[in-house]
Amino acid sequence: MRIILLGAPGAGKGTQAATLNEELNAPHIATGDLFRAALSQGTPLGLEAKSYMDRGELVPDNVTVRMLLERISQPDAADGYILDGFPRSLAQAEALDDALKSRNENIDKVLLVDVSEDELVRRLSGRWICRTCQKPFHVINNPPKKDGLCDVCDPEDGELYQRDDDKPETVRNRLGVYQDQTAPLIDYYTAQGILTSINGEQEIESVRADLLAALE
Ligand code: ADP
Ligand code: AMP
């Protein structure tokens, strides 16, 4: 299945994708993770993305679309994938649809994880991420078993860190960018008849159950 997890920054897309990928046996492809990996390797793509990410702006569509199309062409994505953080603009959604159509493929389902703005701010300000596997934790809602260490990657690895763009000023900008540029995708996919909205403001396990039910 080809699935899109749609939702504002902090809605819980990465948290859910980290377990849905095992259940569905499909890779979790997060464009934010791909940009951060490129940045930590110091590639030209990473350096180009950095100035946009630091400000909470979208990386230009042509750069992002090229990176994503290359990623979904890899063998592990041949039978499906879970997209997280892509598409984030109408131009990206249309480019994805065009590319899929040329291969006789389509997106099967778009799952909107719906969370209020106050809760998004609370979640992002308490988010800690594993440097090794990118799994998100939360100081209060979803704490790691050991302080500062990822439950999955400890003991070899798994230092947790806070993203620079989770600072309050950048968070406000990212939520504005979501409303202006990404929220119009809700109508776009509703018109295609493939969007289901899930209440993201429940316990992590309940959100997971609703997502799985929507996929049945
Ligand atoms: P996104 O990938 O949509 O930006 P994350 O999955 O990184 O969001 O989640 C943002 C923060 O909220 C993380 O700190 C995560 O632990 C926490 N979180 C995720 N889902 C829930 C939930 N259902 N209830 C409470 N906190 C959550
Ligand atoms: P995320 O990890 O999804 O919160 O993304 C972090 C940052 O990466 C965003 O604020 C953007 O600067 C950039 N980014 C990630 N995905 C996209 C996308 N689909 N289009 C443009 N920029 C993106």
Side-chain angles (χ1 to χ4, degrees):
M1 269 188 122
R2 296 180 199 87
I3 296 165
I4 294 173
L5 285 183
L6 188 61
K13 304 180 299 295
T15 300
Q16 296 298 332
T19 58
L20 278 183
N21 63 350
E22 284 166 21
E23 183 87 21
L24 304 177
N25 196 20
H28 166 207
I29 299 178
T31 39
D33 289 348
L34 295 177
F35 283 131
R36 280 183 291 278
L39 183 58
S40 72
Q41 289 157 13
T43 67
L45 171 73
L47 296 175
E48 182 175 359
K50 182 177 180 343
S51 59
Y52 298 97
M53 295 170 80
D54 285 349
R55 284 178 280 129
E57 302 289 339
L58 295 188
V59 178
D61 288 333
N62 59 340
V63 176
T64 308
V65 167
R66 200 175 334 122
M67 174 181 76
L68 188 276
L69 294 184
E70 192 182 307
R71 177 64 187 89
I72 61 174
S73 305
Q74 288 171 18
D76 68 329
D79 294 332
Y81 37 76
I82 304 166
L83 297 185
D84 159 7
F86 185 96
R88 251 175 157 105
S89 66
L90 276 175
Q92 292 180 13
E94 286 164 359
L96 176 63
D97 276 350
D98 288 348
L100 291 178
K101 206 182 283 169
S102 70
R103 306 183 205 173
N104 274 328
E105 294 174 357
N106 60 281
I107 293 296
D108 295 293
K109 196 85 200 167
V110 178
L111 300 166
L112 172 66
V113 185
D114 194 23
V115 173
S116 66
E117 189 149 329
D118 285 351
E119 175 65 9
L120 293 170
V121 172
R122 270 193 294 275
R123 289 189 185 180
L124 292 172
S125 62
R127 172 159 77 176
W128 287 77
I129 294 182
C130 172
R131 262 193 215 288
T132 313
C133 75
Q134 319 300 324
K135 185 177 163 68
F137 292 86
H138 190 278
V139 275
I140 297 161
N141 304 336
N142 185 23
K145 292 196 182 93
K146 286 192 212 161
D147 264 2
L149 287 171
C150 172
D151 294 355
V152 182
C153 301
D154 180 54
E156 283 84 23
D157 256 316
E159 179 203 1
L160 302 184
Y161 77 104
Q162 276 189 301
R163 278 169 48 177
D164 282 344
D165 60 348
D166 281 346
K167 288 190 300 254
E169 320 82 78
T170 324
V171 162
R172 270 193 297 278
N173 196 27
R174 287 164 65 208
L175 295 179
V177 167
Y178 173 79
Q179 281 309 331
D180 292 346
Q181 301 193 49
T182 310
L185 296 180
I186 298 172
D187 285 346
Y188 179 83
Y189 288 117
T190 302
Q192 292 189 10
I194 55 173
L195 183 134
T196 303
S197 181
I198 304 290
N199 174 11
E201 233 167 297
Q202 318 174 67
E203 297 284 313
I204 291 173
E205 271 311 311
S206 309
V207 177
R208 176 183 156 81
D210 284 0
L211 289 171
L212 285 172
L215 291 173
E216 263 170 18

